[in-house]
Amino acid sequence: MLAVGGLAGLSLLSLLAYGYLSWDSLGLGPGEREATKSELGEELWVGAPSSQPHIIFILADDQGFRDVGYHGSEIRTPTLDKLAAEGVKLENYYVQPMCTPSRSQFITGKYQIHTGLQHSIIRPTQPNCLPLDNVTLPQKLKEVGYSTHMVGKWHLGFYRRECMPTQRGFDTFFGSLLGSGDYYTHFKCDSPGICGYDLYENDNAAWDHDNGIYSTQMYTLKVQKILASHNPRKPLFLYIAYQAVHSPLQAPGKYFEHYRSINNINRRRYAAMLACLDEAINNVTLALKNYGYYENSIIIYSSDNGGQPMAGGSNWPLRGSKGTYWEGGIRAVGFVHSPLLKNKGSVCKELVHITDWFPTLITLAEGQIDEDTQLDGYDIWETISEGRRSPRVDILHNIDPIYTKAKNGSWAAGYGIWNTAIQSAIRVNHWKLLTGNPGYSDWVPPQAFSNAGPNRWHNERVSWSAGKTVWLFNITADPYERVDLSTRYPDVVKQLLQRLSQFNKTAVPVRYPPKDPRSNPKLNGGVWGPWFKEDEKKKKSDKSKGTNKEKKNKNKKKAN
């Protein structure tokens, strides 16, 4: 045991020596440093190893489908390429087209229509969050003995304390609550004059960490600190939601070295950001190995949605971009890397969706899913690990009843089954159907980034016939959505419209409240954070009850 302890201590010291960690970054004083050196082996390695795997879920932000080396990108991603090559690449993997929807579906295993978050994202000033009656993945993992930690971007609402990550199942949280912000200062302006600080440690603003460190590197240091202090023989769930490569486009200078030749400034900055992210994931992987987690770990990597070409991202050869239901908005980079995989070095082309991680990970963790829990995800571990067929045959990409209606949509165009003015998209086996206004539909090839500024001359477009509100594609045969088959196969269109109608019957009302002026950070010490006070609600309720009581007493006196 002492020998193992010595090796564990050596692992920490080697990481410090190679520059991946520093004692200061770990937040340890001189006395604590010596204690850590001597006790690492004696305390962190005590006990029998757990049969439950460590789960490391890494979520990138706005990474385009093409923006990884193994998809042919000019941006170098050696870490992602190696991890994917040694694991299982997910090449028929879907997420949602924007931040909040993907995160909510990952953490609940439910489609947006079943949480009320089917429209847009949660805005900083909205009194809105992931509904509190939804059980989350970290809550389920805690039930079976996992330590649960989140580092990075939350974006699932914070208007009241009950919405915060530490109230939704995470033992610790370090990161941002909003959807974006400055990578160095961690400030975010939602609109002119509505600005605030957005970096948290657990439930409080992390002013002590405001040292101008680039967020990708700062989050990685935090992850290393968590791994250094946790016992690798006890199961760990680590959710790392990096801010990169979401706008604003910022990166440390040294990461631009290999990309000076990229003329388009947005693409150049984006490339530097992705290079930094790739290095960060390498450092996380090294820490997992050095601290004794790796052999019993499952590393899952995913983007939250497609890339945004105007902000440097590329989804080529897929169509569309972030925020749309074309493949470029919802088909994501994803892979699983783990010594526990049976078919390492393989490619999975079976249908997988971000909701599937919820039941898959709970099952792997030896947890239980309540019988009355209505999930939209499937356990797809055997599909990934052993190459079996996916239990999933369809995906409801979404139904958004309050998105801008398509002017020429109608019930007639939907054969009396569906109002095609409504934005919706569904996949059933090989078929994909879109209705309403599906969003920006260009194909943006690599040469579109050849000039200094955005250049749409190179984009490919299709001019639809006037009034078109229904599209049908065979995605297996035509993954780039170039051949619309809606007029050739009306029976297939009807079947998919019917499936949409069935899903819609199970939808809950949309949660998209108006702005609340109390959300202004100026009213909260200059910090974005919970503003809704339960006490205020009770006082108002008590006051109204008291007023009603007085009225009743007055009426009684009058009657007497």
Side-chain angles (χ1 to χ4, degrees), residues 8-21:
L10 182 61
S11 299
L12 175 56
L13 293 172
S14 62
L15 267 189
L16 290 159
Y18 288 123
Y20 296 113
L21 287 175

Side-chain angles (χ1 to χ4, degrees), residues 215-236:
S215 76
T216 302
Q217 297 169 325
M218 179 177 64
Y219 290 156
T220 304
L221 287 170
K222 185 64 176 179
V223 168
Q224 291 168 323
K225 183 177 180 181
I226 291 169
L227 294 174
S229 60
H230 182 74
N231 185 344
R233 290 181 177 264
K234 295 181 179 178
L236 172 75

Side-chain angles (χ1 to χ4, degrees), residues 74-93:
E74 78 280 23
I75 302 172
R76 302 176 189 181
T77 56
T79 303
L80 298 182
D81 295 349
K82 186 174 188 293
L83 292 175
E86 294 172 353
V88 177
K89 297 175 184 174
L90 306 178
E91 293 299 336
N92 199 4
Y93 173 56

